[in-house]
Amino acid sequence: MKNIAVIGAGTMGNGIAHTFAQNSFSVNLIDINETALHKGLETIAKNLDRMVLKEVITEHKKLETLQNIKTFTALEQGIEAVDLVIEAATENVDIKLKIFKQLDEICNSHTILATNTSSISITQIAATTTRPDKVIGMHFMNPVPLMKLVEIIRGYNTSNEVTNAIMELSKKLDKVPVEVNDYPGFVANRILMPMINESIETLFNGVAGVTEIDTVMKLGMAHPMGPLQLADFIGLDVCLSILNVMYDGFKNPKYAPCPLLVNMVRAGKLGVKSGEGFYDYATNKKADIVAKQFSKI
């Protein structure tokens, strides 16, 4: 597999495209929004500049990486004659099902269809296609160029041949693939999201403040980033979406999202992407005023 298509030029999509291109794959980066494509390429270029500055790669490698990426706004053109498509669109089940139905209709019969979903059932996605044996999950971690882990998620009908091919492909990206089965949240988010949710509950109940909670987890549990800061980094809307998928999938109240998280997302306080979440990224201070506004009285 040398020809790859990535659908979605957002944070995860441009990171996946960057990683494949840097490892000498030909990448078609696809997004219906041309502005998003330009922004995605700018992000890749900036990240490559940092790597050159830190002497991780050479200037020649940077230019070669950028030359390996082509951009498309038309799905039909971008997925023509590729060996693997990786969908990295919004974490919304309806959007993903629609995309995979289109991919199945357009792609060559040998093309493997992968999704970067962090929680949605691979089996459900695969059921919209006529090739469920060739549908698989590749859950990359953010930031993709730096993080080693890739969760490889087998749907109910994913073949051994496809699973083995994607495991080997991930190793060629200098990643560490870990095979997991298809249950809501898989492994990473099934463990991470309840921890983040409980941290938000701890804040919601007035046990401690934002910085205090994050400091306890960083210094006491050796986490590189506190759970509230990590939630801001992931995106509070994404955290809410994943928790809802897990709650719907397991029908277990322990996965029910905290009311504070729900209200912050409703108010547009999404974390880094909106400039404010549990922290205020405009002033680099705690956004305690935001938390208190939606906490219990």
Side-chain angles (χ1 to χ4, degrees), residues 97-117:
L97 295 181
K98 181 179 178 181
I99 290 172
F100 271 78
K101 191 173 187 304
Q102 290 178 299
L103 292 175
D104 185 49
E105 291 170 353
I106 301 169
C107 287
N108 292 330
S109 59
H110 75 274
T111 304
I112 295 173
L113 308 181
T115 173
N116 182 58
T117 182

Side-chain angles (χ1 to χ4, degrees), residues 49-57:
D49 283 337
R50 287 195 197 96
M51 296 175 82
V52 171
L53 192 62
K54 294 178 180 179
E55 299 183 345
V56 176
I57 62 172

Side-chain angles (χ1 to χ4, degrees), residues 130-186:
T130 59
R131 62 181 91 191
D133 59 314
K134 292 184 174 68
V135 178
I136 195 165
M138 293 184 76
H139 179 207
F140 290 86
M141 306 294 127
N142 186 29
V144 181
L146 300 180
M147 298 292 279
K148 289 288 187 181
L149 176 66
V150 185
E151 273 189 308
I152 307 299
I153 307 104
R154 296 183 64 137
Y156 188 82
N157 292 304
T158 308
S159 70
N160 289 333
E161 182 183 9
V162 166
T163 302
N164 292 336
I166 295 300
M167 292 285 284
E168 290 305 311
L169 177 69
S170 300
K171 292 174 185 176
K172 291 177 182 177
L173 300 174
D174 195 28
K175 302 297 185 187
V176 178
V178 177
E179 183 182 334
V180 303
N181 289 320
D182 186 22
Y183 290 93
F186 316 130

Side-chain angles (χ1 to χ4, degrees), residues 58 126 195 220 267:
T58 63
M195 183 192 73

